[in-house]
Amino acid sequence: MKSLYSKFILTTLVIMLVSSIIGFLFANAYYQNNLKRENDAKNMEIATNIAEFAENQTNLDEYLSHTAATGYQLFLVRKEEQRFYGGAFKETNLSQQVIDDVLDGEPYHGMKAFPKKTFVTGFFANELKNSVGVPLTYDGKQYALFLRPDIKLLFNEIHLLLGWMVLVIFILSLLAELVWSAMLIRPIRKLSHATNKVREEGFDVHLAIHRKDEIGQLAQNFKEMIARLGKLDKLRKSFVSNVSHDIQTPLLNIQGYSRLLENDALSEEDRKTYLRVIQEEAERMSILSKQLLTLSSLESKKEDYSRQTFDLSAQLKSLLHRYYWLIDEKDLSLTYSVDEVTYKGNPELLYTVWENLLTNAIKYNKPGGSIEVALDQVDDAINITVSDTGIGLAPNEIDQIFDRFYRADLARTKTNQGTGLGLSIVKEIIELHHGEIVVESQLGKGTTFTVILPHL
Ligand code: ADP
């Protein structure tokens, strides 16, 4: 695997190289199109001046040597006579035709006419061809003088300065890039390390990345995701162990009591008691499996569940009728006031809600107690309250009753009928309908559940 770090460095080097080439091509094109003409004109003026002054000199050789020493390469020619002054030309390639033309008084614009070569900026080409030529008269004789600035002499320091500058810029940018990419990659490595740890050891990982940029955001999202997954994982584990326990207990009871029933010497009364226990345990398991099915179907329905408009008041009344005998049997009294209300929701799921709240109000009531059910239409929502005068809940219990498998103190509730799943199902169904459920309770006095469902 190629590391991100080496990729960064390689990319930087490639970028530097490519941009240098582009910069060079650009500078070359600029010289060829704009500067070349100006450079030619400038040097032509200098050459003309030198030629003009030459006429009044006593010693041409000396004069031209001095002039060359100020930073020029000169070539003086007349018939067979050829003399160079100043720094040497790398190439002395000049045609006789050009020389003859200058001798005839025609100035030579070699700099302007110097061929466009892509990779050699004409400015630096140390060739005799890349010069300007003017006629020069001395001592009654006609000469041709060719001139170009001695780049080496004039610009040597600038070359060095520029060279060092480019080198320092290059080294510093590379160093800065090394440090910067290391800083950038370190948190990514940490993240990758953390994901590996999650894969191998689970959700208990610590990630020390505190940045405010996109990587910081990524790390923050990762931390939140891990925290959530860890929580879900814990819930899943406790859910599985709770379910296993709740299946195991009634099964053991059924096994134990059915074995006892094998005894022929059992009294009729004992036999009936054992059979009742077996029936109750089987019923508990049946409720549990029904609730588990509801929970799993709720999870899959989270996004879309069918809704229809139905008569909610009729649904509530039919439920109350179904449970009337049980309320009566438990020596409880029931009062209700139900507005005529139609509601758009899922009738089967909402029936489960009312049934759970009502059976709880019966289960956790006290003999002689009462239950009150009300359905009210308020603004753009409906309120359903189920109150009882039962055993009530302690404040710390109220926070937990909607947790899966939570059951309040069994000694106080005096019943082992129940799974602790009912209210968590209730809450999920209400949230599916974008509603809320509120609990008010006083220990020993009673409890009121209020469901508020908005009309969607
Ligand atoms: P269960 O199957 O045990 O009834 P629920 O989820 O319906 O499970 O309720 C959770 C716990 O909340 C119950 O075990 C009980 O302790 C408490 N609870 C629920 N409804 C009432 C109520 N009306 N009065 C007092 N306690 C209640």
Side-chain angles (χ1 to χ4, degrees), residues 419-456:
T419 57
L421 286 177
L423 284 180
S424 62
I425 292 175
V426 163
K427 189 156 189 191
E428 283 196 35
I429 295 174
I430 291 168
E431 278 171 1
L432 214 56
H433 287 80
H434 305 283
E436 59 174 318
I437 180 161
V438 184
V439 194
E440 285 165 84
S441 187
Q442 258 187 309
L443 201 55
K445 293 227 164 120
T447 311
T448 301
F449 284 92
T450 307
V451 177
I452 302 154
L453 289 178
H455 280 294
L456 294 175

Side-chain angles (χ1 to χ4, degrees), residues 291 356-357 360-365 386 388 390-393 397 400-403 405-410 412-413 417-425 441 446-449:
Q291 285 179 323
N356 269 306
L357 293 179
N360 278 352
I362 300 169
K363 254 194 301 191
Y364 305 111
N365 222 316
V386 179
D388 62 61
I391 57 171
L393 286 156
E397 292 172 330
Q400 300 177 71
I401 52 172
F402 294 106
D403 292 348
F405 292 106
Y406 176 79
R407 305 194 65 206
D409 183 7
L410 284 184
R412 191 163 53 72
T413 54
Q417 292 176 328
T419 57
L421 286 177
L423 284 180
S424 62
I425 292 175
S441 187
T447 311
T448 301
F449 284 92

